[in-house]
Amino acid sequence: MFSELALHDCLLKATTKLGYTKTTPVQQKAIPLAMTGKDLLVSAKTGSGKTAAFLLPSLHRFLENPAPNSGTRALVLVPTRELARQVVKQCEQFAEFTTMKSAIIIGGEDFKFQKSMFRKNPEVIVSTPGRLAEHIDAGSIDFHDLEVLILDEADRMLEMGLIEDVLRITKSCNPQRQTLLFSATLKHQGLNDVIHQSLKNPESLVLDSHKDKHSQIQQQVILADDYDHKDKLLAWLLEHETYNKALVFTNKKVQASRLSGLMRYKNNRAGMLQGDLSQEERNHVMGLFRNQQIDVLIATDVAARGIDVDDIDLVINYDMPRNGDDYIHRIGRTGRADNEGRAISFVTSFEWNLKAAIERYIRHNFEKRTIDGLAGHFKGPKKVKNSGKKASDKKRIDSKDGDNKDEPKNKNRRRDRKNIGKRRTPTEKSGSGKTAHTRSDDGFSPPKKRV
Ligand code: AMP
């Protein structure tokens, strides 16, 4: 319960207004620890309620210790603009019953306007690293008064090559600050640098490993023959599945564009989100999706990063994601805050190994599904045959030191059959192969020449 967390009344009022009653596991553990002022390393998956887990204790601290003449008191660094928007929105919601202000600093927006925002000294700044590093270089802002630095989705920032900027920013922050690092996984090799350079004696909270099952998400696979077959499956699912909002993932931008056209042609209210869209176009599509003017969004991984739309209840992987982490991020868009969701992945023969690797990675076997009338020819890889070897040959390979008792018998029998009707040499007759013949594994090797 939130009331048990000893948070400031204004914050409890806000969480009640938002309909938060029970804390999520990450909030339950991280909020009290963060309130002690300790540096924290927290592993928590997307959709776990991590944003509240770092915003609430920070806002609580500022309310408890007013500092009217201070500069910015909390800085949240996130990998994407979309995520920055979501975080700042949550911050505004939590701070609704306070006088605290927050600001967003992201690329693609007016630099001068952003400079003027700094002058207002908002308590919280939420930013993507690239643009903020530019402001620091330009001397638009300093973080000498900073009390809390939050690195959200640190693993993503690392994967997106943003860590150099992150480290530059970290170095310019008040060294006495508290640092909270959130990441889907803490085992990412590259994280060590960031941890050593940015945190002091951090406490680790491994709440739910990124590999844990998303138990509230039904995870299915449908075998597919080719793109044509996948198109039919997708059209069928969008027509027959029950869903509020569906998010369809492709690996390539061209595929996303083609599919959104095709699905619209098939009377779906579909939109597309891919990296080539301008910020305005992107905001427009996201607005349509949020307001349910479209209910299908076809997206690439990069473009979909940070999407936080609460009622996505169907994720379709038109293409299998390239690795387990991407799979987890994709399906994390559904089943948020313990809602139920379904993730369906199409798997062709070329994607079978990837599917198997992802199953091993997340330690969960997908449920296999077929659609009547749309079953393809591909039924999974054929069982590997014994490469034409006989069982007796296998036994010979398996048996150590040739101690398989059956083996000589079989070999003799084969040899005997082979040699039926042939005349035996005198040595064979006498049974002494010592002088002229050496027995090899197959029992017949040519006579050795005497040197
Ligand atoms: P996050 O992991 O921070 O992106 O949160 C995922 C979603 O869960 C957001 O839409 C939050 O508004 C929502 N949420 C976070 N904490 C709670 C809670 N305790 N109860 C209900 N919803 C929550």
Side-chain angles (χ1 to χ4, degrees):
M1 297 292 286
F2 275 94
S3 49
E4 289 161 13
L5 288 177
L7 286 166
H8 195 282
D9 283 347
C10 293
L11 301 176
L12 288 178
K13 203 168 155 190
T15 51
T16 310
K17 184 173 173 192
L18 287 168
Y20 293 11
T21 44
K22 268 175 55 194
T23 45
T24 64
V26 66
Q27 292 162 358
Q28 182 70 36
K29 295 234 169 102
I31 293 176
L33 261 179
M35 280 162 79
T36 67
K38 265 178 169 290
D39 281 6
L40 294 185
L41 285 172
V42 186
S43 80
K45 69 186 180 197
T46 312
S48 60
K50 61 186 170 60
T51 316
F54 58 72
L55 284 179
L56 288 173
S58 308
L59 296 177
H60 171 83
R61 172 183 174 146
F62 305 155
L63 287 168
E64 293 287 302
N65 308 291
N69 299 321
S70 167
T72 289
R73 304 181 77 183
L75 170 63
V76 187
L77 291 179
V78 298
T80 63
R81 299 171 187 182
E82 187 66 32
L83 187 57
R85 282 196 196 89
Q86 288 151 27
V87 173
V88 89
K89 185 174 151 209
Q90 280 205 49
C91 195
E92 281 162 4
Q93 289 170 331
F94 292 144
E96 183 182 346
F97 303 104
T98 76
T99 54
M100 289 188 288
K101 295 276 171 288
S102 44
I104 181 168
I105 304 292
I106 53 179
E109 292 184 357
D110 188 68
F111 200 81
K112 277 196 188 144
F113 174 71
Q114 290 179 340
K115 265 177 113 170
S116 70
M117 286 205 304
F118 290 132
R119 276 183 233 118
K120 293 184 187 156
N121 280 338
E123 274 80 2
V124 182
I125 287 181
V126 183
S127 181
T128 44
R131 176 51 67 94
L132 193 64
E134 286 174 38
H135 277 292
I136 290 177
D137 291 345
S140 336
I141 179 139
D142 70 61
F143 291 107
H144 299 329
D145 287 342
L146 198 78
E147 292 172 52
V148 190
L149 170 67
I150 295 142
L151 307 177
D152 188 20
E153 301 204 356
D155 54 333
R156 284 268 143 184
M157 294 203 271
L158 205 69
E159 279 165 14
M160 291 169 73
L162 302 171
I163 284 302
E164 269 187 34
D165 286 335
V166 170
L167 290 175
R168 267 170 61 211
I169 296 166
T170 326
K171 280 193 190 110
S172 78
C173 292
N174 171 15
Q176 308 306 324
R177 67 180 190 267
Q178 175 187 30
T179 307
L180 310 174
L181 182 149
F182 283 72
S183 176
T185 171
L186 297 179
K187 289 190 182 142
H188 209 301
Q189 272 192 337
L191 274 184
N192 288 342
D193 267 0
V194 188
I195 293 169
H196 286 125
Q197 294 187 44
S198 315
L199 289 96
K200 290 185 294 286
N201 303 323
E203 182 140 344
S204 294
L205 279 181
V206 182
L207 279 122
D208 47 40
S209 144
H210 68 305
K211 293 182 184 179
D212 283 352
K213 281 180 208 171
H214 291 62
S215 52
Q216 74 281 22
I217 302 173
Q218 194 180 10
Q219 299 176 55
Q220 302 179 329
V221 289
I222 301 180
L223 299 185
D225 294 335
D226 47 31
Y227 285 133
D228 189 41
H229 188 202
K230 283 185 176 185
D231 290 352
K232 289 185 182 123
L233 290 169
L234 181 62
W236 190 95
L237 288 173
L238 293 181
E239 192 182 339
H240 295 91
E241 286 290 279
T242 313
Y243 61 93
N244 262 321
K245 286 181 185 151
L247 185 55
V248 180
F249 281 98
T250 64
N251 288 352
K252 295 201 172 126
K253 294 181 221 170
V254 282
Q255 198 68 280
S257 306
R258 183 186 70 81
L259 279 179
S260 69
L262 183 66
M263 292 305 130
R264 274 199 298 272
Y265 172 74
K266 290 190 181 284
N267 292 326
N268 291 289
R269 294 184 306 148
M272 180 213 21
L273 199 65
Q274 45 99 331
D276 289 345
L277 297 189
S278 69
Q279 194 57 44
E280 247 170 66
E281 288 168 321
R282 194 183 153 85
N283 293 348
H284 177 67
V285 176
M286 284 311 297
L288 294 176
F289 195 46
R290 272 207 189 89
N291 304 330
Q292 203 92 41
Q293 285 163 279
I294 55 172
D295 47 17
V296 178
L297 187 63
I298 299 171
T300 54
D301 290 283
V302 175
R305 267 181 204 151
I307 288 182
D308 175 30
V309 178
D310 278 342
D311 45 352
I312 297 173
D313 42 8
L314 177 63
V315 166
I316 299 177
N317 291 317
Y318 180 89
D319 294 314
M320 259 334 242
R322 295 182 179 102
N323 57 57
D325 282 331
D326 281 349
Y327 179 81
I328 291 164
H329 271 89
R330 284 183 182 188
I331 70 161
R333 307 289 144 205
T334 183
R336 292 172 83 82
D338 283 336
N339 292 326
E340 306 231 312
R342 177 176 290 175
I344 306 174
S345 306
F346 298 160
V347 177
T348 60
S349 58
F350 299 105
E351 293 167 305
W352 181 269
N353 287 347
L354 197 50
K355 176 209 88 121
I358 292 172
E359 282 181 321
R360 280 197 300 276
Y361 185 69
I362 62 170
R363 289 187 229 110
H364 177 74
N365 286 336
F366 301 133
E367 185 188 317
K368 207 158 145 190
R369 177 168 168 191
T370 41
I371 291 170
D372 285 347
L374 279 181
H377 301 293
F378 176 55
K379 306 280 184 227
K382 293 202 175 81
K383 290 234 163 71
V384 183
K385 283 195 184 141
N386 215 355
S387 64
K389 284 196 170 124
K390 290 182 183 143
S392 56
D393 293 347
K394 186 175 181 302
K395 271 186 196 161
R396 191 175 58 193
I397 293 160
D398 289 346
S399 71
K400 278 186 202 154
D401 309 324
D403 62 354
N404 185 346
K405 291 192 183 88
D406 294 343
E407 189 187 329
K409 257 198 228 160
N410 290 343
K411 207 157 56 178
N412 287 342
R413 263 191 248 119
R414 275 204 309 278
R415 185 184 61 187
D416 293 346
R417 274 201 304 274
K418 218 161 119 192
N419 292 326
I420 286 172
K422 285 190 186 164
R423 294 184 68 184
R424 291 166 75 194
T425 62
T427 9
E428 280 173 329
K429 270 182 199 161
S430 70
S432 82
K434 278 182 202 160
T435 46
H437 288 75
T438 313
R439 278 188 79 102
S440 72
D441 272 357
D442 62 7
F444 296 100
S445 49
K448 263 192 182 168
K449 271 188 190 164
R450 287 195 176 199
V451 189

